[in-house]
Amino acid sequence: RAITAIAALMLLAAAPAGSLAAERDARHPGPLPWRAEAGLPFTVDVATFPESASTRLEIYVRIPPITLGSAVADSFGSTRIGIHTRLRGGNGRVQERDQVVTSTPADSATGFGKVVVIRYDTRPGTQHLNVRITDLNSRKRGLIYMGRQVTNAEEMEGDIVTPKPLMNREVSDLEFLWTGAGASAADSSAGDLPNPERLYGLFDNGLTAQFSARSTDERAWHWVTRVTDHDGHALIEHDSTSAPAREVRANLHLDVSTLPAGGYDLELKAWQEGDRGAVVRRSHFSVAWKTESWTANPADLLDAIHLLLTAENEDAFHELEPGEREKFLFDYWQARDPTPGTAENEAFDDFVRRIDYANRTYTRPGLQKGMFSDMGRVYIRYGQPDEVLHQVIPAGDETLSQVLDDIERTENRPADDVRRPGLGGDIRPYEVWIYEGVVPTPLEADPRNKGAVRRRKLTFLFVDEQGLGQYTLRYSTE
């Protein structure tokens, strides 16, 4: 599974590695759509539609196949996912809804999973939305849960804005729809399946979106739809007209089959005959062409990303849409390909092999994955050491104390912080990894600075502090 999951990295953008920096509030999921990518992954999107007496708020919750497949099944093989939504308006009014989604193994095999539509009547303005999903068949185990029924759950919350009327006209948000084969909606009355992911390409290369508009008088409606890139250049454009009416509701159909993977904006300008201006609605979406962009477990992808990007860029990567991730990582590995004229990318292949080896070799039961252990990180970064000094039961001149003395004689960096006072030699198990010659440039290094790292020797000292086989990096000349 490790190699399959990591293979998403070569296929999964939108900027050079160093230009992704973005501020992220850990308590707020950011712009819509919202994605929970750990534990029980799910996606939330929202659209609002003007009606005669109020505004209809529709919340779209997608439970992907990876979540349905990992949920606990009952004796009949069915899973039960509870969805709780809580909406607090600007006037303090609180509304809540509960819904249960059931599924069978077939729902987690292919397709889009389950999409639930939850509706509220509301008013224009800023509101606070909380969405929580719960694996109703699960039960957390451990001493702190003794005597209590505590289930696995994930939640997201943040502010959403219901648009106000402009120039006596009300224009809804853009609701993205899926029309591809294999879609399965929990809400069978929804017609076309809402697309909370705002994702098109491989499984659905025709973008379909819906909008509605209202005014106080009967005149012909006009609207122009455009798809633009991140620089605002129009790539696709279509215009339409309706008969005179106070209200109009229409579906927008655009062919995105020629667009490469990446992020785009869908822009709608709507007005009535004789108006001097138009109401504009703009929403972001993405296009992806690799299976992994649609079906891979996002947690596996983010595990690998943790080893490739700085903390700042890693936070920004979380904010990218699936198609943007696909493009970014394709560009990332292309820039590091040592033989760009061939079909094989040796840098990526080596990265996959190293992660697989680290997970098989350094994973300890009940602890973190081997790729995140100190030894795993160094191995993934630099590969197999040229020399390894390994002592499980140090004695005589092979104790840790003697190794530290030898290191201090040959290296320019002191190792005083590793020492422990006491009589006799230090008999903690240890390993020393030595890299000599031309040390490879780490993958996360900027490829535009090739050759900037020219170390001839690297030394890493790992110590098993408790004698349990968990080695910690205590000294390095990196």
Side-chain angles (χ1 to χ4, degrees):
R1 180 184 173 207
I3 292 182
T4 302
I6 298 305
L9 281 171
M10 187 170 187
L11 308 172
L12 294 179
S19 62
L20 280 175
E23 193 170 330
R24 192 176 185 215
D25 183 350
R27 298 188 60 189
H28 194 287
L32 289 164
W34 300 342
R35 291 186 177 86
E37 299 186 300
L40 297 173
F42 70 104
T43 304
V44 174
D45 200 8
V46 169
T48 58
F49 299 90
E51 295 185 335
S52 57
S54 64
T55 298
R56 184 177 80 253
L57 172 69
E58 293 191 352
I59 302 167
Y60 313 114
V61 181
R62 182 200 179 206
I63 313 297
I66 190 69
T67 299
L68 297 175
S70 63
V72 178
D74 59 20
S75 58
F76 298 99
S78 298
T79 61
R80 297 167 61 245
I81 302 292
I83 302 175
H84 176 78
T85 58
R86 185 176 188 271
L87 184 70
R88 187 181 72 243
N91 59 0
R93 180 192 178 196
V94 175
Q95 302 179 71
E96 297 182 79
R97 300 276 192 279
D98 285 288
Q99 191 160 339
V100 176
V101 176
T102 60
S103 67
T104 64
D107 295 316
S108 61
T110 58
F112 299 137
K114 295 285 189 178
V115 177
V116 177
V117 182
I118 302 164
R119 298 179 176 90
Y120 287 95
D121 288 331
T122 186
R123 292 283 187 269
T126 300
Q127 300 163 82
H128 192 80
L129 174 64
N130 177 283
V131 182
R132 177 183 177 89
I133 73 166
T134 304
D135 181 357
L136 297 175
N137 292 338
S138 68
R139 181 171 182 173
K140 289 186 176 181
R141 303 188 182 278
L143 292 177
I144 63 174
Y145 303 114
M146 287 286 288
R148 297 185 295 152
Q149 179 71 39
V150 182
T151 52
N152 295 321
E154 297 291 339
E155 68 179 304
M156 292 184 287
E157 63 179 312
D159 290 337
I160 59 175
V161 178
T162 302
K164 298 179 180 180
L166 291 174
M167 297 174 283
N168 295 320
R169 294 191 301 278
E170 297 176 281
V171 178
S172 74
D173 295 318
L174 292 163
E175 177 193 2
F176 291 89
L177 301 171
W178 264 322
T179 58
S184 170
D187 186 298
S188 59
S189 65
D192 286 332
L193 181 65
N195 179 351
E197 302 291 347
R198 303 188 187 181
L199 177 62
Y200 296 91
L202 179 64
F203 294 149
D204 196 349
N205 60 24
L207 185 156
T208 300
Q210 187 179 88
F211 83 97
S212 63
R214 292 169 51 88
S215 73
T216 57
D217 55 354
E218 292 190 7
R219 285 180 287 154
W221 286 90
H222 303 272
W223 60 92
V224 175
T225 311
R226 299 196 312 162
V227 171
T228 62
D229 61 18
H230 67 279
D231 293 322
H233 300 139
L235 306 175
I236 303 171
E237 188 166 329
H238 183 73
D239 60 90
S240 301
T241 300
S242 75
R246 285 193 176 95
E247 300 182 18
V248 64
R249 186 181 184 92
N251 278 7
L252 314 172
H253 301 284
L254 300 169
D255 182 4
V256 297
S257 61
T258 60
L259 297 182
Y264 302 91
D265 285 324
L266 178 62
E267 179 186 271
L268 170 74
K269 292 184 178 180
W271 70 95
Q272 281 184 291
E273 191 76 37
D275 287 343
R276 293 185 177 180
V279 177
V280 179
R281 295 286 180 260
R282 188 179 292 108
S283 296
H284 198 61
F285 72 97
S286 71
V287 173
W289 297 105
K290 304 301 180 181
T291 303
E292 291 81 359
S293 302
W294 291 71
T295 62
N297 187 339
D300 290 336
L301 171 62
L302 296 177
D303 279 352
I305 279 296
H306 187 63
L307 302 177
L308 295 174
L309 302 180
T310 64
E312 188 178 32
N313 283 347
E314 184 182 354
D315 280 349
F317 185 87
H318 281 251
E319 304 296 339
L320 296 179
E321 300 294 314
E324 293 171 324
R325 291 179 175 186
E326 180 176 304
K327 182 180 185 302
F328 172 77
L329 286 166
F330 177 83
D331 293 345
Y332 182 98
W333 288 111
Q334 189 176 51
R336 288 159 175 78
D337 188 353
T339 56
T342 66
E344 184 179 7
N345 187 326
E346 294 83 357
F348 171 75
D349 292 344
D350 198 28
F351 179 69
V352 172
R353 283 192 293 267
R354 290 182 187 182
I355 283 189
D356 182 55
Y357 178 87
N359 283 334
R360 287 188 290 104
T361 307
Y362 306 119
T363 297
R364 298 292 179 265
L367 300 175
Q368 63 195 37
K369 288 183 180 179
M371 63 192 289
F372 294 132
S373 68
D374 287 351
M375 283 185 167
R377 286 176 181 272
V378 173
Y379 181 87
I380 293 169
R381 191 175 173 88
Y382 294 109
Q384 186 67 35
D386 295 291
E387 183 179 358
V388 176
L389 307 177
H390 177 72
Q391 288 297 330
V392 178
I393 306 177
D397 290 339
E398 296 175 341
T399 63
L400 180 57
S401 302
Q402 183 61 47
V403 169
L404 291 172
D405 290 340
D406 293 341
I407 287 176
E408 289 190 334
R409 280 196 300 268
T410 57
E411 306 292 348
N412 296 324
R413 186 172 176 181
D416 293 340
D417 59 333
V418 188
R419 295 186 181 277
R420 287 185 177 179
L423 299 175
D426 191 332
I427 59 171
R428 286 176 288 170
Y430 66 86
E431 278 196 23
V432 179
W433 291 6
I434 299 172
Y435 295 85
E436 292 186 290
V438 178
V439 178
T441 302
L443 284 170
E444 75 274 13
D446 191 331
R448 294 169 295 186
N449 297 331
K450 290 181 179 179
V453 180
R454 298 182 180 277
R455 292 191 176 93
R456 289 290 177 179
K457 181 178 180 182
L458 288 175
T459 300
F460 297 89
L461 169 64
F462 304 94
V463 179
D464 183 359
E465 301 286 0
Q466 307 299 325
L468 301 176
Q470 185 69 16
Y471 285 80
T472 303
L473 180 62
R474 297 303 309 271
Y475 174 90
S476 82
T477 58
E478 187 179 29

